[in-house]
Amino acid sequence: MTAVNSSEPRYAELTAQIARRLLDHDGPVVILSHVEPDGDAIGSCLGLQRALRSLGKDATTYMDVPRYLRFVPEPGEIEPRLASWPENALLVVLDVDNNDVRRVDGADLSAYAGDVLNVDHHGTNRRVATLGLVDPTKAATALMVMHLVDALGAAWTPELATPVLLGINTDTGSFRFSNTSPEVLRAAADLVERGARLAWMNEMLSQQQPSYYALLREVLSSMEFLEGGLVVVARVDEAMLARAGAAWEDVESYVNVIRGAEGTELACLFKDFGDRTKLSLRSRGRVSAQNVAVACGGGGHVAAAGATVTAPYAEARALMERATRAELERVGLV
Ligand code: 5GP
Ligand code: MN
C-alpha cells in the first residue's frame, strides 16, 4: 500500500497515475461511494463511469440512489448492489474514506482483495488505498474527477459535464459556501461551456414531494437552541416519518434548513433510528463540525461532517453536547 499526499505537484502526477491504471485495466471497473449518497457521490461516480464507458471500458456504479437524485442517471445506468465480484475487477472508491468499510456502500468489501483506487476530498481520509488521490483543499470529489477525466483523455460532452457539475454544485451549496474558490468557479464555467445543464439540475433538485413539507413541519417543531443560541438541533425519528409519509432517504436536506438560524455557529440534525443515531453537522466556519463529528466517532469536513453513534438518541445527544461544548471552548465562544 502506498500512503499518498496530494499536495501540488504530486496532485497532477497521482491523477495521471490513476488514469494510467484505469486505462491499462482490461477487466470490469467497479465504482462505489458512500452510504446515503449525495450529489457529489453520484456525480463523481457517474462522471467517471461515463468517461470510462466513452473510452470503451466496462465500468459500473453500484449505489442505492435516493429518491431526490433519481433524475441524474439514465434508467439502468446505475446498479443497486453488486451481487458478486466479477473476475479481474478493479475497485474505484469515490468521495469516501475507503478505510472505513462502514462508510462504503454498494458491495461487500470483505469479499474483495484486489487493488483500490481512491479519489476523495475528506480531511479524515486515512490514505490506505493502493493508489489514492486525496486532497482536502478540493471543494468536491467531482472537481477531482474532472481532472481525472482530462487525464483519461475522454471527450467532454453534456452527458459527462452535467454529473461532474452536479457534484461541485452540491458540495459548494450551489456556489454559496466558503469553499466556492476561483478554481471552483472556473471549473463550473468550463463545465457549463461543455454543455452541463446547471439550471436544469437546480430545478430538478428544488422540486419537493408533498411529504417534504409534512416532514418539514415535524422537523421544525423539534428544533431547539443550545449554548445560548450558538447551537441549533433538530431530530427525526421513525414515528415522524410515518406521520409525514416520508422515508429516511428524504431527510438529507433538513440540516440545511435549520443551519440558517441566525446567531448559530453549529447545526445538528439527529436521525434517531432507535438503537442507533446519525448526526449531520454543519458549521458556519468558526467552529469545526469535523472536530465534533470525530469526537462522536465520525468524520467529514470543517463545514460539514457527520457521525453514526451506536446508542439511542439520549446518549448520542449527550455525547454531541459534550463534544460541542469542548469545541466551543477550544475556539473561545464559551
Ligand atoms: P451528511 O451530514 O451530509 O451525511 O455528511 C456530511 C459530511 O460528513 C460528508 O462529507 C460525509 O462524508 C461525512 N460523514 C457523515 N456521516 C459520517 C460518518 O458516520 N462517518 C464519517 N467518517 N463521516 C461522515
Ligand atoms: Mn464530497
Side-chain angles (χ1 to χ4, degrees):
M1 304 231 208
T2 327
V4 296
N5 177 333
S6 62
S7 58
E8 306 279 357
R10 285 275 282 156
Y11 182 87
E13 187 187 316
L14 284 163
T15 307
Q17 276 181 29
I18 290 177
R20 207 169 314 124
R21 183 74 182 78
L22 286 165
L23 291 171
D24 286 347
H25 184 70
D26 286 328
V29 177
V30 171
I31 306 172
L32 303 177
S33 188
H34 55 81
V35 289
E36 298 170 343
D38 56 11
D40 192 27
I42 192 171
S44 297
C45 291
L46 204 53
L48 179 62
Q49 173 176 314
R50 287 179 179 173
L52 288 171
R53 287 189 180 184
S54 77
L55 295 164
K57 296 283 173 189
D58 171 3
T60 310
T61 301
Y62 298 88
M63 177 183 285
D64 192 8
V65 181
R67 189 149 61 191
Y68 77 99
L69 290 172
R70 289 207 189 126
F71 72 92
V72 182
E74 294 297 327
E77 205 174 17
I78 291 186
E79 300 288 339
R81 197 177 170 82
L82 180 66
S84 66
W85 287 89
E87 211 169 302
N88 192 24
L90 175 62
L91 172 61
V92 184
V93 177
L94 300 177
D95 196 38
V96 55
D97 319 14
N98 73 307
N99 55 288
D100 191 344
V101 292
R102 291 165 309 169
R103 292 284 299 154
V104 182
D105 206 13
D108 178 9
L109 281 196
S110 68
Y112 177 77
D115 287 354
V116 181
L117 309 185
N118 182 214
V119 179
D120 181 41
H121 68 137
H122 289 93
T124 42
N125 190 304
R126 278 178 237 157
R127 297 159 169 85
V128 294
T130 318
L131 196 53
L133 178 66
V134 179
D135 188 349
T137 71
K138 291 284 183 279
T141 299
L143 184 57
M144 305 169 76
V145 168
M146 185 178 172
H147 302 142
L148 180 56
V149 168
D150 281 334
L152 285 166
W156 284 98
T157 59
E159 292 67 38
L160 189 44
T162 298
V164 173
L165 185 60
L166 171 74
I168 297 171
N169 190 16
T170 300
D171 272 21
T172 59
S174 293
F175 308 102
R176 286 181 291 114
F177 299 158
S178 59
N179 59 1
T180 310
S181 57
E183 180 188 33
V184 160
L185 293 168
R186 286 193 186 99
D190 286 345
L191 291 164
V192 170
E193 199 164 60
R194 291 159 186 174
R197 302 169 65 194
L198 181 61
W200 171 77
M201 74 178 74
N202 283 331
E203 172 56 26
M204 295 306 282
L205 289 167
S206 68
Q207 288 180 17
Q208 305 289 357
Q209 307 228 330
S211 61
Y212 168 88
Y213 300 96
L215 188 57
L216 178 62
R217 188 161 44 213
E218 300 274 354
V219 170
L220 294 181
S221 56
S222 79
M223 243 171 115
E224 284 176 71
F225 290 90
L226 314 175
E227 297 286 1
L230 287 170
V231 179
V232 59
V233 301
R235 183 181 73 101
V236 176
D237 68 12
E238 205 69 70
M240 293 156 85
L241 291 182
R243 280 196 296 271
W248 282 115
E249 62 176 1
D250 304 325
V251 180
E252 293 310 301
S253 60
Y254 294 106
V255 69
N256 297 317
V257 175
I258 63 168
R259 79 189 290 276
E262 190 180 288
T264 60
E265 292 294 337
L266 186 72
C268 181
L269 185 86
F270 291 90
K271 288 189 199 168
D272 176 353
F273 296 110
D275 54 348
R276 189 166 60 85
T277 311
K278 162 80 204 271
L279 283 67
S280 272
L281 295 150
R282 299 292 183 270
S283 154
R284 287 189 204 282
R286 284 171 83 188
V287 309
S288 166
Q290 185 184 85
N291 283 350
V292 178
V294 168
C296 297
H301 316 276
V302 170
T308 303
V309 181
T310 340
Y313 171 69
E315 225 174 287
R317 163 94 182 241
L319 178 63
M320 176 270 175
E321 286 189 22
R322 281 197 302 277
T324 298
R325 168 53 71 106
E327 177 60 14
L328 292 173
E329 279 170 0
R330 186 186 71 83
V331 300
L333 280 167
V334 293

